[in-house]
Amino acid sequence: LNIAACTNISNRGLLAFAAGLRNLKSLHDLYLQITGCANIQDTTFQQLMESLQSLTSLNDLTLKLSPVGDLSATALAGSLKNMPHLCDLELDFSWCGNLTEQGVEPLFARFRDLQYLTNLSLNFNHCDLLGDQSLKVIGNSVMNLSSLTQLKINFSDNYRVTENGLDDFLKCLVNFRTIESLELYLENCGYLTDRGKERTLDTFKKI
């Protein structure tokens, strides 16, 4: 479902869709893109995320949502707990300026439970309140995913990302032996220096 920039979509309409999702218990693949719908509130996105709890057979989940806040992130964390067979997860919450480190931490921490995950893609570009702590939690969560072969992380234009956060993240990757494809985007993170770039290249060579 792609309803990007559908400005006439209402909270009531999206809630009706969320209610229908609860009945699709045998669904294996789900793609949702809901961006640029100015009338949608975070409490509505929250209920949409909660409706995913019944989709216990999901193998592939793609969510491109904006603007969402902490309520939605926490609700999604709860739903992922019920998706033990998830293999492919893509989250694009770019330009969600209301997301905080405290709000996304339960979501990022949940990744460690997805033991069948082979592909993880995270786009939190222009999420201005996210920084070092988020990178650290992601690193700690994915470092023990023995099935993970593809990892893509975009934290570009997040000015709270510093050398400390990058170091913590890279330390988690040093012993990664299952990764076949790794992409890390940190453009326009103003506190990063050449030292950070060099350490990133050194870490990539060791993987």
Side-chain angles (χ1 to χ4, degrees):
L1 175 68
N2 185 341
I3 53 173
C6 293
T7 55
N8 291 325
I9 294 291
S10 66
N11 290 283
R12 182 179 179 181
L14 194 55
L15 288 175
F17 173 76
L21 272 181
R22 297 179 188 273
N23 299 320
L24 302 178
K25 297 181 180 181
S26 61
L27 194 67
H28 293 292
D29 303 307
L30 178 62
Y31 177 101
L32 290 179
Q33 181 170 354
I34 307 172
T35 56
C37 301
N39 296 323
I40 304 302
Q41 301 171 343
D42 192 36
T43 52
T44 301
F45 278 121
Q46 177 191 15
Q47 293 184 60
L48 176 62
M49 295 301 95
E50 290 173 348
S51 72
L52 303 180
Q53 291 184 11
S54 61
L55 306 183
T56 57
S57 298
L58 273 185
N59 295 321
D60 188 333
L61 176 62
T62 298
L63 297 174
K64 299 183 178 183
L65 308 177
S66 179
V68 299
D70 289 347
L71 292 174
S72 301
T74 302
L76 178 57
S79 293
L80 288 178
K81 183 179 180 180
N82 295 333
M83 301 177 187
H85 306 294
L86 201 62
C87 296
D88 195 320
L89 177 62
E90 179 180 354
L91 301 179
D92 185 344
F93 287 3
S94 54
W95 293 91
C96 292
N98 291 324
L99 285 173
T100 68
E101 304 231 91
Q102 294 77 16
V104 298
E105 185 167 345
L107 173 60
F108 294 158
R110 181 65 63 191
F111 297 155
R112 64 169 59 97
D113 298 326
L114 303 176
Q115 290 300 313
Y116 292 100
L117 201 64
T118 59
N119 181 23
L120 177 62
S121 177
L122 305 174
N123 186 352
F124 287 81
N125 176 37
H126 273 291
C127 294
D128 300 332
L129 300 180
L130 303 187
D132 290 347
Q133 180 62 21
S134 295
L135 280 178
K136 182 178 181 179
V137 174
I138 293 173
N140 286 331
S141 295
V142 303
M143 64 185 298
N144 294 317
L145 295 180
S146 58
S147 297
L148 193 66
T149 59
Q150 299 181 67
L151 178 62
K152 179 179 179 180
I153 297 177
N154 188 345
F155 262 58
S156 297
D157 299 290
N158 293 349
Y159 291 97
R160 295 180 183 234
V161 174
T162 71
E163 299 283 341
N164 292 333
L166 179 59
D167 282 347
D168 286 337
F169 176 75
L170 293 175
K171 288 175 184 176
C172 297
L173 299 184
V174 170
N175 297 318
F176 234 139
R177 293 294 178 262
T178 60
I179 287 291
E180 298 174 1
S181 175
L182 175 59
E183 299 179 44
L184 180 62
Y185 298 92
L186 296 170
E187 289 93 346
N188 298 320
C189 293
Y191 290 106
L192 296 182
T193 65
D194 289 342
R195 172 186 169 276
K197 297 176 183 177
E198 292 171 1
R199 178 157 170 71
T200 301
L201 290 174
D202 289 342
T203 301
F204 279 24
K205 292 176 182 178
K206 296 176 182 178
I207 297 175

